[in-house]
Amino acid sequence: MDIKNGLLLAAVALGAPAWAQTCQPTAITPYLNINGTTSWASKASASLNAGSRVVLGPQPISGSWSWSGCGASGSAREQTLKLTATCTATATYTNSCGAKSTQAFNFTVWPAMAANAGKFIMVDQFGYLPTMRKVAVLRFPKVGYDSNQSYWPQQLQVVNSATGAVVYTAWPQDWNGLQTDASSGDQVWTFDFSSITTPGTYEIVDPTANQRSARFEIGDNLYRNVLIQAVRMFFYQRAGQAKSASNAGAGWADGASHLKAGQDSQARRFLDPNNANTARDLRGGWFDAGDFNKYTSWAAAYAQDLMEAYLQNPTVFTDDFNIPESYNGIPDILDEAKWGLDWLVRMQNSDGSVLSIVGLASASPPSAATAPSYYGDASTSATLAAAAAYAEGAKVFGALNNSAMTSYAADLKSRAQRAWTWALANPKVIFRNNDAASGTSGLGAGQQETDDTGRAELRLIAAIKLFAATGDTTYRDYVDAHYTEAPMFASWYLSAFNAGNARNLLYYAALPGATSSIASAIRARFLDLWGRSDYGGWGAVDAQKDPYRAYIDSYTWGSNAVKANAGTLFTEESYYGISRHTADQVSNAAADYLHYLHGVNPLGKAYLTNMVSFGAENSVNQIFHSWFADGSAQWDSAATSTYGPAPGYLVGGPNYGQWDWDSRCPGISSACGSTRPTPPYGQPPQKSYLDFNDGWPLNSWPISEPSNGYQTNYIRLLARFVK
């Protein structure tokens, strides 16, 4: 009798089936992600707002699955759930020999936001790091659309949302003797609850007045998922990129756009559209904003900003942001920057010059666009901007210790030098897009061309980036000869409105080999200006000029980007180790601008799209965007459409004095309505906002349109508070 038969007979004698001696249950590894749009987390529980979508994807991959609970069902291993109440989903896995194992996924689902929550008590809806200063802002509206409402705060409580326990009680403090703030139209109080450091979900409650804040979390690294969504916005903005459900989420899956006949890979010169010999392969790049056009000067700045965010926070940007390049050994933010750089490479001519723009057709979804793509001629400004981006790419990708990227970096360096040489030899080649006088009406939307001052600034930035990449003193000498043309020196001007120029000078001052006397002059001028009592930096912080704790001196087109820029100017001091303030003072000043964007503003609005699943109870529902267009049953509104816009887009924000309906309204169209919508019209600056995406004649784009430039400003700021 052989051993096999002996074991079988022994098993029969004991009354146990033979397979039971060898077939064991397989351990399940739980995985989930939020909305199918973030990196997978190996965990089996989460706390989420009602209506959140969660994708469950336990492993192993082989074998068979069955499900119960939370609406999970069927035999698919991956389950997408829309959670409306606290529940447990149970996965049962049967392996190849028939053994079963189970895994429970437990979800705490917070109820929908109470009607009075976040109306008068404003907090960062994502939350606060444990050691961070935590200040809620309370408001009594006196001027504006909500001036018929009132709130006078009483003693406040910090309440644990899960247990109902009161963990802190105190009185708020009034701002500026309860004077009405002109920028918001509100009387304001502040409530400091920084002493609460225990992780958990909380609310600020006024039990006497029956008012409360939105819920918020206190926890370690709680902004990480927010940062992932903010960076992924660029993935959704990619032209010519297939967006699979596994990367984009089922709601935003789409085929590669603008690759049909006559489109980006066969784009023709706009000024010679019938000449097939002008066809160029200009695929790739990003939709610039709500429009689908691709502008060289602006795209070059976005690529640089993404790379600089990485350089200042290299451990934050990992390789798992769920884009097509994830897990390739390169941080995903650099993969995204490379997507932009690759397009800029295609835009360069053999003589070193760089084309200025590619105009793309719009459609919803983007893959539905069918009209041809056209490009604009090379210009000095586009070439200088591209030179800076090539040079920075050469430095960043050349430092990755990756053989393929070393070769890529060498090519970028050569391109940067050729672009610089052409631009110096051709200092004023101009191409104006969408300009009737230039015969370019309809090519693009925004005007990317600049003036002599703008070209001088671009030359200075390009020289800085080329010196950083090459060490060639020719570029350093150019910087040393021209840095006083920058606004900080030429006009004693430093503001969140010109933060990019200041940041580049500080970058130069920190480079090895920079002229020490000039580096010292740059640092001193920056600190002197940003520290002045009559400027918008430390003087505004010390004087508490803004009751919402995030001062800028005007609310114009893109005010949210200006807010983010202001915050980054504080973080630059810390990064370069030059501040005259303590680390905590710098961190607190910068974080207040982040809190403003996350809900500490008169509207209690987290100014990012569709972030309910990520913790913001009152995030943006609608944006002016060709994909997420007004009236779309799928993407118009996060509140009423099937999906709404993709998560994580930063909108332009309040715009005082630069928005109006078409001047011919109300008679030109029934879409005007009888009067201008109020808000945004006729409001104090901080209330000059409306969550809408109407096109002509209500023209929402000065308020609700996103921009890749707004996004990079926000990413740079947010990354400072992520690990």
Side-chain angles (χ1 to χ4, degrees):
M1 182 173 64
D2 61 26
I3 294 174
K4 180 178 178 182
N5 288 335
L7 289 174
L8 180 59
L9 289 173
V12 171
L14 292 172
W19 58 262
Q21 303 300 307
T22 57
C23 185
Q24 299 295 321
T26 301
I28 296 174
T29 303
Y31 285 97
L32 60 81
N33 69 31
I34 310 294
N35 241 355
T37 63
T38 190
S39 54
W40 288 94
S42 180
K43 61 181 185 178
S45 63
S47 296
L48 301 159
N49 287 328
S52 296
R53 285 184 172 85
V54 178
V55 182
L56 309 182
Q59 292 187 6
I61 295 174
S62 60
S64 62
W65 295 86
S66 62
W67 291 86
S68 64
C70 297
S73 62
S75 59
R77 181 181 65 88
E78 287 193 7
Q79 297 279 314
T80 300
L81 311 179
K82 184 173 182 179
L83 302 176
T84 58
T86 295
C87 62
T88 297
T90 302
T92 300
Y93 173 71
T94 305
N95 64 18
S96 58
C97 66
K100 296 181 183 295
S101 49
T102 61
Q103 173 67 54
F105 290 86
N106 299 303
F107 299 106
T108 299
V109 178
W110 304 111
M113 191 175 182
N116 64 340
K119 191 174 183 179
F120 301 117
I121 305 175
M122 309 313 190
V123 295
D124 186 318
Q125 292 173 36
F126 299 111
Y128 303 85
L129 304 177
T131 59
M132 179 180 276
R133 183 176 65 187
K134 309 171 189 72
V135 180
V137 172
L138 295 78
R139 55 186 292 268
F140 186 151
K142 306 295 286 187
V143 180
Y145 73 95
D146 53 356
S147 60
N148 61 336
Q149 304 172 21
S150 63
Y151 170 59
W152 195 272
Q154 301 298 305
Q155 195 174 51
L156 300 173
Q157 301 171 340
V158 181
V159 176
N160 185 303
S161 299
T163 66
V166 176
V167 300
Y168 181 70
T169 301
W171 285 90
Q173 303 298 310
D174 67 78
W175 175 82
N176 202 20
L178 289 180
Q179 292 187 32
T180 299
D181 168 51
S183 74
S184 63
D186 294 342
Q187 289 180 341
V188 167
W189 295 257
T190 59
F191 177 67
D192 191 319
F193 57 102
S194 302
S195 61
I196 307 305
T197 60
T198 302
T201 302
Y202 298 90
E203 297 161 80
I204 309 298
V205 177
D206 183 336
T208 303
N210 190 29
Q211 294 296 331
R212 62 183 58 236
S213 71
R215 283 182 296 271
F216 59 89
E217 185 178 351
I218 294 176
D220 185 56
N221 213 21
L222 55 84
Y223 300 130
R224 178 167 177 76
N225 267 346
V226 183
L227 178 68
I228 290 173
Q229 299 314 305
V231 173
R232 283 172 48 77
M233 176 266 200
F234 278 87
F235 167 63
Y236 293 115
Q237 291 289 96
R238 289 185 185 186
Q241 170 71 67
K243 300 174 178 72
S244 68
S246 60
N247 290 131
W252 304 284
D254 189 29
S257 71
H258 300 93
L259 295 181
K260 299 179 178 70
Q263 294 190 313
D264 285 10
S265 58
Q266 302 167 353
R268 294 187 184 184
R269 182 174 178 243
F270 184 83
L271 295 178
D272 195 7
N274 297 319
N275 185 352
N277 292 327
T278 67
R280 294 277 297 268
D281 179 5
L282 302 176
R283 69 188 187 280
W286 301 297
F287 309 141
D288 184 73
D291 64 290
F292 286 175
N293 302 294
K294 303 185 293 191
Y295 307 86
T296 299
S297 294
W298 297 338
Y302 309 150
Q304 291 173 80
D305 280 345
L306 292 173
M307 289 185 282
E308 287 160 17
Y310 166 77
L311 289 174
Q312 292 196 352
N313 310 274
T315 61
V316 167
F317 294 105
T318 50
D319 191 21
D320 60 350
F321 282 28
N322 194 22
I323 61 174
E325 299 85 357
S326 291
Y327 309 109
N328 67 352
I330 296 172
D332 281 349
I333 194 170
L334 294 187
D335 285 319
E336 198 59 67
K338 185 176 182 296
W339 181 268
L341 287 169
D342 288 349
W343 176 71
L344 291 173
V345 164
R346 297 186 187 102
M347 294 290 282
Q348 189 171 37
N349 295 320
S350 59
D351 63 359
S353 65
V354 182
L355 301 174
S356 55
I357 183 176
V358 181
L360 275 63
S362 294
S364 179
S367 65
T370 59
S373 301
Y374 296 100
Y375 62 84
D377 295 352
S379 69
T380 302
S381 58
T383 303
L384 287 167
Y390 297 147
E392 184 143 21
K395 180 176 177 64
V396 171
F397 286 92
L400 292 180
N401 194 29
N402 178 306
S403 58
M405 292 301 101
T406 299
S407 175
Y408 181 67
D411 179 64
L412 289 176
K413 178 179 169 181
S414 175
R415 290 177 180 279
Q417 292 168 320
R418 295 202 309 273
W420 173 264
T421 299
W422 185 90
L424 286 190
N426 298 272
K428 199 171 181 177
V429 176
I430 294 170
F431 184 85
R432 298 188 183 280
N433 64 279
N434 199 23
D435 179 65
S438 304
T440 59
S441 295
L443 177 60
Q447 178 53 252
Q448 48 78 44
E449 189 56 272
T450 186
D451 56 14
D452 289 342
T453 300
R455 280 182 287 277
E457 181 176 345
L458 288 168
R459 272 190 296 273
L460 181 61
I461 294 171
I464 290 170
K465 299 300 176 65
L466 275 156
F467 175 59
T470 68
D472 187 331
T473 58
T474 300
Y475 304 114
R476 183 190 65 190
D477 293 345
Y478 184 90
V479 176
D480 292 352
H482 294 276
Y483 78 97
T484 57
E485 297 170 9
M488 280 204 308
F489 291 90
S491 55
W492 292 80
Y493 178 62
L494 176 60
S495 161
F497 289 88
N498 75 324
N501 186 285
R503 287 195 298 250
N504 280 301
L505 287 179
L506 288 174
Y507 175 70
Y508 169 75
L511 290 173
T515 304
S516 59
S517 60
I518 291 173
S520 295
I522 289 169
R523 289 189 287 262
R525 180 61 60 91
F526 176 88
L527 292 175
D528 288 346
L529 294 182
W530 199 236
R532 283 179 57 148
S533 61
D534 57 339
Y535 275 39
W538 286 107
V541 171
D542 294 340
Q544 297 183 32
K545 291 181 71 171
D546 179 6
Y548 290 91
R549 311 176 70 82
Y551 178 79
I552 58 174
D553 58 18
S554 60
Y555 289 78
T556 54
W557 201 316
S559 66
N560 282 342
V562 179
K563 292 276 188 178
N565 263 339
T568 64
L569 289 179
F570 292 101
T571 66
E572 295 297 309
E573 294 188 15
S574 175
Y575 176 73
Y576 290 113
I578 63 174
S579 184
R580 296 167 182 168
H581 293 77
T582 68
D584 283 345
Q585 287 174 322
V586 172
S587 178
N588 289 334
D592 282 337
Y593 288 86
L594 192 66
H595 300 325
Y596 169 90
L597 295 171
H598 291 175
V600 183
N601 55 66
L603 303 173
K605 177 72 71 176
Y607 282 120
L608 298 166
T609 55
N610 209 349
M611 294 296 283
V612 171
S613 292
F614 302 93
E617 294 178 277
N618 183 19
S619 60
V620 170
N621 291 314
Q622 301 178 78
I623 54 174
F624 181 82
H625 195 284
S626 296
W627 184 354
F628 316 120
D630 185 29
S632 165
Q634 291 181 289
W635 301 297
D636 179 0
S637 169
T640 59
S641 302
T642 306
Y643 303 110
Y649 281 70
L650 182 75
V651 292
N655 187 340
Y656 179 68
Q658 292 183 318
W659 174 84
D660 202 352
W661 62 4
D662 186 282
S663 61
R664 296 165 293 176
C665 281
I668 191 66
S669 169
S670 60
C672 295
S674 58
T675 60
R676 296 174 173 90
T678 303
Y681 188 75
Q683 300 300 302
Q686 292 201 51
K687 292 178 183 172
S688 298
Y689 179 83
L690 182 64
D691 194 337
F692 73 143
N693 63 355
D694 301 62
W696 180 87
L698 292 183
N699 306 344
S700 67
W701 50 86
I703 290 172
S704 67
E705 186 175 17
S707 159
N708 299 350
Y710 306 163
Q711 202 77 12
T712 58
N713 292 337
Y714 174 69
I715 289 168
R716 290 174 69 114
L717 175 60
L718 180 62
R720 305 302 297 169
F721 299 93
V722 177
K723 293 189 291 186

